[in-house]
Amino acid sequence: MQRIMSILWPSFLVAGVAEGLFFTLIDPQELYLLGEPVYFSRTAAYSIGFLCFWAICAASSLATCYLLRSAADINRGVGASQE
Amino acid sequence: MPDLSSKTEPVTFVEQSLFEVHQKVYPRAVTGVFARWRWIMVWLTQLLFYGLCWLPWNGRQAVLFDLIERKFYIFGLVFWPQDVIFLAVLLIIAAYSLFLFTAVGGRLWCGYACPQTVYTEIFLWIERKIEGDRSARMKLDAAPMTIRKALLRATKYVLWGGLALWTGFTFVGYFTPIKTLWTTVWSFSLGPWESFWIFFYGAFTYLFAGHLREQVCMYMCPYARFQGAMFDPDTLTVTYDLARGEPRGARKKGPAPASIGLGDCVDCHICVQVCPTGIDIRKGMQYECIGCAACIDACDQVMDKMGYPKGLIRYSTEHAIEGRWGWKEIISHVARPRVLIYSAILWAIIIALVWGIVNKPTLRVDVIRDRAVLAREVEDDLVENVYRLHVMNVAEAMHRYAITVSGLPGIDMMGDRIVELPAAADKTVTVRVRAPKESGKKGSNVIYFDVKLLSDEKVAVHEKATFLIP
Ligand code: SF4
Ligand code: SF4
């Protein structure tokens, strides 16, 4: 649980900052998605944008957590002895 | 359920008289000067939060961060995306004030104004009203599930949920006009994203204030981690007077502590029981302490009961405790270099911000070349370029503007020469500019658009654009 929080929470904070920066500078209505102008409302664009930012940041946190695992953790996984 | 009662260790009371004190102090939670201040702050911040979004101003919501229109309204001020610099400066001011407050008063923000503290306080109050005081809650938690317990639990969760939803609704009401939001809720036509955000924010409130509580401060709050860097030995913190309190020990009321070889602390653990983060302040300054001063109120009542002077736990500074200073010396140490530098920078930024807002232009124009239509030749050897002028009336009144074009001999424009804009509105006008083919060189030529307020020529924008001649 604590690990999940330590992935989701910092990425939430950073996603908030990224969202703020991105959408102050860029009007979602002027974006193109896969070659088509964005057709959904601004509210939807902001919300989807935030969730995407969050997901991306969470992926980065997840990678950090994954790489932070100690040698002992990894060895246990492959069945090596602890000593 | 990680509430604070189950976090603190069960206490065995040696002295009957102290048990009395416990009964008096704790069941009514903490009362006292600082508890009163905390509640005043709860009321102030929440009246502001729940109320401000309903306030009208000039026929619109006074404070509205209208994401759909991409405009922020704060009373008479309207901020456009072009004003993002003000937002940045505002954030810097917020950060600097936090530094300043922290250097002087420690975690005043955490103890009295942070939404986490405030909502926890409210949620705890609900819990206390329904399930009773600390010991009743501890008993209830340990008891097997009965109909009564289920009913109490259900009531609590429903009340918490209602408050959380209202909070989520209010939050979203700062981003979309709240009155419209209110009617859409009752006509069941709430948009999917609005519903999502109301529930999302509500769920966060519920989780943070109802269940996580002090864990948010201890594990999730970035400020709690770096506030230590802003502390110095003259920072006010909630401090236990070690020299006066020790050696601690239970005793009967009556003899002076010194005569029985004890300090003033009667080791009643009440300061630990009232602490929302469950720490023992007698162990010294700890990063978990949010500076809520609940332990001050609690211990003061114990001291009163025992007939000792108040303030065994009090707001003090490291230097003051060491040097046994009074308030006069503490205050005389407020004006130290760190504080003076923070204040100077803070004032400089505030003045710059106010100057910037006062001198904000009331008219803005962006010239965008039409991407689809390049230059084309029309009849009579004229070349035509198409532009879109995004005219923004930042003022609080309806205005009419005249558009003219200049820069090439014989240049002229077709389309609206007059734009009328309501208060705080914007409009994109399409302008076709024509100039004789031989009036400029082949390729790009510089031309200018002038947009002037009809009633006041001084309000004008002179914008450069390029005119292509094939
Ligand atoms: S510091 Fe005060 S409240 Fe805490 S145990 Fe000692 S006497 Fe009791
Ligand atoms: S130690 Fe005292 S001031 Fe600090 S959090 Fe606990 S009750 Fe509040």
Side-chain angles (χ1 to χ4, degrees):
Chain A
M1 182 65 200
Q2 211 177 344
R3 179 160 301 183
I4 297 175
M5 281 310 272
S6 63
I7 292 171
L8 288 184
W9 178 246
S11 43
F12 178 83
L13 294 179
V14 178
V17 175
E19 163 99 355
L21 273 178
F22 185 81
F23 284 116
T24 6
L25 300 179
I26 292 161
D27 180 349
Q29 302 286 276
E30 288 177 1
L31 289 177
Y32 285 81
L33 188 66
L34 306 175
E36 298 279 318
V38 182
Y39 53 87
F40 34 76
S41 73
R42 283 212 179 101
T43 319
Y46 292 136
S47 308
I48 295 169
F50 179 76
L51 296 178
C52 289
F53 276 128
W54 194 8
I56 294 166
C57 295
S60 155
S61 293
L62 185 69
T64 309
C65 262
Y66 185 70
L67 293 176
L68 269 182
R69 291 192 314 163
S70 66
D73 285 338
I74 298 167
N75 288 341
R76 205 175 308 133
V78 297
S81 91
Q82 292 288 306
E83 297 310 306
Chain B
M1 240 214 60
D3 73 6
L4 69 92
S5 55
S6 55
K7 281 234 135 182
T8 50
E9 72 274 24
V11 183
T12 47
F13 291 96
V14 189
E15 284 285 334
Q16 193 56 35
S17 67
L18 291 177
F19 191 76
E20 295 289 332
V21 171
H22 164 74
Q23 281 295 343
K24 263 193 173 157
V25 176
Y26 196 66
R28 284 184 282 138
V30 211
T31 52
V33 186
F34 297 107
R36 195 147 56 235
W37 271 110
R38 264 200 321 281
W39 277 107
I40 291 174
M41 287 306 288
V42 168
W43 278 103
L44 279 182
T45 51
Q46 295 318 294
L47 279 179
L48 200 71
F49 175 70
Y50 292 114
L52 199 57
C53 47
W54 295 98
L55 203 72
W57 181 273
N58 269 0
R60 57 164 192 255
Q61 192 170 324
V63 177
L64 175 65
F65 306 106
D66 195 334
L67 294 180
I68 300 181
E69 296 286 320
R70 293 176 67 78
K71 270 174 235 160
F72 287 4
Y73 303 98
I74 300 172
F75 295 94
L77 295 170
V78 184
F79 293 92
W80 303 64
Q82 285 83 349
D83 293 321
V84 61
I85 179 79
F86 292 118
L87 189 69
V89 174
L90 212 63
L91 288 180
I92 295 173
I93 291 180
Y96 252 102
S97 343
L98 197 62
F99 288 3
L100 180 64
F101 273 113
T102 311
V104 176
R107 294 177 74 173
L108 285 178
W109 162 261
C110 303
Y112 298 91
C114 176
Q116 177 60 27
T117 311
V118 166
Y119 287 112
T120 304
E121 192 100 19
I122 300 173
F123 273 58
L124 255 174
W125 179 82
I126 294 177
E127 184 169 73
R128 205 179 292 128
K129 285 287 162 207
I130 291 167
E131 299 186 342
D133 65 10
R134 173 173 184 267
S135 44
R137 292 205 302 270
M138 284 164 80
K139 251 192 239 131
L140 191 74
D141 273 352
M145 188 52 84
T146 58
I147 293 180
R148 179 178 166 271
K149 181 169 172 176
L151 276 179
L152 286 179
R153 280 284 141 89
T155 324
K156 179 174 86 177
Y157 293 152
V158 167
L159 286 177
W160 279 3
L163 181 63
L165 273 185
W166 185 248
T167 311
F169 170 79
T170 308
F171 178 74
V172 174
Y174 278 97
F175 298 96
T176 56
I178 198 161
K179 285 185 185 139
T180 330
L181 197 65
W182 181 246
T183 39
T184 48
V185 167
W186 292 111
S187 59
F188 298 100
S189 51
L190 199 62
W193 288 110
E194 278 90 359
S195 334
F196 170 77
W197 287 114
I198 290 176
F199 281 102
F200 187 82
Y201 196 82
F204 256 86
T205 309
Y206 187 99
L207 188 71
F208 278 23
H211 294 291
L212 291 176
R213 295 187 179 170
E214 76 286 347
Q215 298 172 53
V216 175
C217 309
M218 287 155 75
Y219 306 117
M220 295 167 75
C221 176
Y223 170 64
R225 298 295 165 114
F226 67 74
Q227 35 106 10
M230 288 170 258
F231 278 28
D232 61 33
D234 286 312
T235 299
L236 268 190
T237 53
V238 175
T239 326
Y240 166 71
D241 192 336
L242 203 70
R244 182 182 146 191
E246 303 295 318
R248 65 184 78 160
R251 81 282 313 260
K252 283 209 166 53
K253 194 177 166 179
S259 67
I260 43 174
L262 289 173
D264 279 0
C265 173
V266 297
D267 206 13
C268 62
H269 278 85
I270 287 177
C271 51
V272 183
Q273 288 169 29
V274 298
C275 177
T277 64
I279 57 167
D280 186 345
I281 191 68
R282 296 174 301 171
K283 291 186 186 139
M285 180 65 202
Q286 292 146 78
Y287 99 95
E288 295 96 321
C289 171
I290 58 169
C292 68
C295 52
I296 301 187
D297 282 336
C299 187
D300 276 351
Q301 279 173 338
V302 178
M303 293 294 110
D304 276 354
K305 201 89 194 162
M306 297 300 293
Y308 301 160
K310 285 184 187 180
L312 175 57
I313 305 177
R314 62 176 182 271
Y315 272 113
S316 191
T317 71
E318 207 182 307
H319 278 155
I321 291 272
E322 270 167 24
R324 324 223 108 260
W325 292 350
W327 273 104
K328 246 173 134 174
E329 283 127 309
I330 294 180
I331 289 168
S332 70
H333 278 74
V334 166
R336 50 191 185 273
R338 178 196 284 256
V339 173
L340 294 180
I341 292 171
Y342 281 167
S343 323
I345 298 178
L346 189 60
W347 278 112
I349 307 176
I350 291 177
I351 290 168
L353 178 75
V354 172
W355 187 88
I357 288 179
V358 170
N359 291 292
K360 212 155 66 94
T362 55
L363 166 67
R364 277 215 186 87
V365 177
D366 281 343
V367 178
I368 310 145
R369 276 194 63 89
D370 200 305
R371 269 187 273 182
V373 194
L374 278 176
R376 65 186 182 112
E377 271 183 66
V378 286
E379 77 272 22
D380 302 336
D381 273 348
L382 290 176
V383 178
E384 182 180 272
N385 280 208
V386 182
Y387 303 87
R388 283 187 299 138
L389 263 56
H390 185 207
V391 185
M392 292 162 266
N393 174 15
V394 187
E396 273 285 41
M398 204 268 288
H399 278 325
R400 284 151 64 86
Y401 302 97
I403 307 176
T404 50
V405 66
S406 62
L408 288 174
I411 195 166
D412 200 9
M413 56 177 273
M414 311 179 62
D416 298 338
R417 284 162 197 271
I418 303 285
V419 219
E420 189 175 287
L421 282 177
D426 58 327
K427 190 175 180 181
T428 305
V429 282
T430 308
V431 181
R432 299 167 182 282
V433 177
R434 290 182 175 185
K437 203 174 171 186
E438 62 284 358
S439 63
K441 59 179 197 298
K442 256 193 170 17
S444 70
N445 296 273
V446 176
I447 59 164
Y448 296 97
F449 283 102
D450 282 283
V451 181
K452 284 199 178 102
L453 182 62
L454 281 180
S455 54
D456 182 2
E457 294 267 303
K458 279 203 280 308
V459 180
V461 171
H462 189 62
E463 272 290 309
K464 204 158 114 177
T466 52
F467 188 85
L468 294 180
I469 296 181

